Amino acid sequence: MKLMISPVENPIQLPELNIARIYGYEGERQTILVVDDILDQRNLVSNILQPLGFNVLQAESANTALTIVENHHVDLFILDITMPEISGWQLAISLRKQNIRTPIMMLSANIHELEKCNVLEQYHNDYLSKPISKEQLLIKIVSLLPVTWIVEEQPTETIPVASNNIIPSLKNLEKLKSFAEIGFLSAFSEKVDDIIRLESVDESFFNPLRNDLSQCNFTKIVHNIDELINEHYQDE
C-alpha cells in the first residue's frame, strides 16, 4: 500500500516592494485601528499609513479599542501582543467572539514565539515583527485589504557631505543608527537636532535622512549611516 503524501512546500516568499515609489492606493478609503500601549509605535504606523490615504485610529489599550469599535467601522486591526492588563491576543479573541471578522494583524518583537502559537491561529490573519519595517507592513496590508498601490518613479537621493565639511562624530552616528534599527522615530529626530546644535553640522546634511524619516524608511537610514561610518571612520 502506498501513501500519497504531499511534499513539504517552501515557505511563501513575500514580493519585494519599492516603497519609495508608493504615494497612495486605489480602492475605497480604509480605516485601520492600531492598538499599542507605546505611543511611538502607534505614531510610527500612523506616520507610514496616513500619508498614503488611510484613516488611522489609535488606541493605547484593549478597552479603548473596544470602545472605538462600537463607534467606528474598522477595516483592519493591528494589535500589539504585549500590553498591560489585556493583551493583544485577549483582544483578538474578544473581537472574534463578537463575530467581528475584520482582518487582524498581530505585532510582536518575538516573532519565533508567535509562529509557535498554533492554537491562536484562528484569531488572527497575519503578523508583523518589531521593529516595524515599512516595506513589510505595506506588503502585509495589500494582502489583507482590497487596495492596489499607486506608484511613481522617484530619483534616488544620496546623503551629501555637509557644506561646512563637518561630519557627525562616530559616537553620534552610531547612536542615530541604534534609534533607526528599533524604529524610535522621536528619539532619532531629537538626536539630529542635538547634533546640529552641539556639533555645528550643517542642517542640509540631514535633509535626506529627514526625508527618509518622514517615510519611516528606517532600513534605508541604517544603510546610509553605515556608508557614512565606513567612508569616514573605517579605520577607527
Side-chain angles (χ1 to χ4, degrees), residues 135-151:
E135 179 180 10
Q136 292 302 309
L137 175 61
L138 297 188
I139 288 173
K140 301 278 189 176
I141 283 178
V142 81
S143 70
L144 295 173
L145 294 176
V147 299
T148 302
W149 298 127
I150 303 174
V151 300

Side-chain angles (χ1 to χ4, degrees), residues 30-36 41-42 45-46 49 54-80 83 91 95 100 102-107 137 141 145:
Q30 303 290 307
T31 296
I32 298 176
L33 175 56
V34 183
V35 188
D36 196 313
Q41 293 295 324
R42 300 198 306 272
V45 176
S46 182
L49 299 181
F54 292 96
N55 178 32
V56 181
L57 307 176
Q58 297 188 26
E60 74 281 0
S61 68
N63 285 328
T64 301
L66 291 172
T67 300
I68 291 175
V69 170
E70 293 176 0
N71 302 292
H72 295 82
H73 170 77
V74 177
D75 298 294
L76 172 65
F77 294 94
I78 299 179
L79 312 180
D80 181 45
M83 294 188 293
L91 175 56
L95 292 171
I100 295 175
T102 300
I104 295 176
M105 185 191 305
M106 307 302 294
L107 294 178
L137 175 61
I141 283 178
L145 294 176

Side-chain angles (χ1 to χ4, degrees), residues 21-230:
R21 298 174 55 204
I22 296 175
Y23 67 91
Y25 64 88
E26 296 178 347
E28 295 184 4
R29 193 178 190 206
Q30 303 290 307
T31 296
I32 298 176
L33 175 56
V34 183
V35 188
D36 196 313
D37 58 306
I38 301 176
L39 176 60
D40 270 324
Q41 293 295 324
R42 300 198 306 272
N43 285 340
L44 173 58
V45 176
S46 182
N47 289 338
I48 292 173
L49 299 181
Q50 279 189 329
L52 300 179
F54 292 96
N55 178 32
V56 181
L57 307 176
Q58 297 188 26
E60 74 281 0
S61 68
N63 285 328
T64 301
L66 291 172
T67 300
I68 291 175
V69 170
E70 293 176 0
N71 302 292
H72 295 82
H73 170 77
V74 177
D75 298 294
L76 172 65
F77 294 94
I78 299 179
L79 312 180
D80 181 45
I81 290 178
T82 307
M83 294 188 293
E85 298 183 6
I86 301 176
S87 72
W89 282 126
Q90 291 173 304
L91 175 56
I93 292 171
S94 176
L95 292 171
R96 291 298 187 243
K97 285 184 175 180
Q98 294 180 46
N99 204 31
I100 295 175
R101 299 304 169 191
T102 300
I104 295 176
M105 185 191 305
M106 307 302 294
L107 294 178
S108 175
N110 188 350
I111 201 66
H112 297 296
E113 186 64 28
L114 192 152
E115 290 175 335
K116 297 177 182 178
C117 297
N118 296 327
V119 177
L120 299 172
E121 282 184 353
Q122 60 184 309
Y123 300 111
H124 75 294
N125 302 84
D126 210 332
Y127 58 82
L128 191 65
S129 61
K130 290 184 176 183
I132 295 171
S133 158
K134 180 178 181 180
E135 179 180 10
Q136 292 302 309
L137 175 61
L138 297 188
I139 288 173
K140 301 278 189 176
I141 283 178
V142 81
S143 70
L144 295 173
L145 294 176
V147 299
T148 302
W149 298 127
I150 303 174
V151 300
E152 66 177 359
E153 294 292 342
Q154 293 185 356
T156 302
E157 191 171 19
T158 57
I159 298 181
V161 175
S163 59
N164 57 8
N165 294 321
I166 297 177
I167 302 297
S169 66
L170 175 60
K171 179 180 179 181
N172 279 330
L173 285 175
E174 290 176 336
K175 193 65 176 177
L176 286 174
K177 179 183 174 181
S178 69
F179 288 144
E181 287 175 332
I182 62 174
F184 202 163
L185 188 149
S186 61
F188 186 96
S189 183
E190 290 172 3
K191 189 62 179 178
V192 167
D193 292 338
D194 287 343
I195 294 172
I196 292 172
R197 185 177 70 255
L198 300 176
E199 293 193 356
S200 299
V201 177
D202 195 290
E203 188 163 357
S204 63
F205 175 85
F206 289 104
N207 286 344
L209 287 178
R210 288 189 190 276
N211 180 60
D212 291 331
L213 188 66
S214 69
Q215 300 180 46
C216 299
N217 193 347
F218 293 106
T219 301
K220 185 177 178 183
I221 290 174
V222 170
H223 172 74
N224 286 336
I225 291 176
D226 277 335
E227 287 193 339
L228 282 172
I229 292 175
N230 292 334

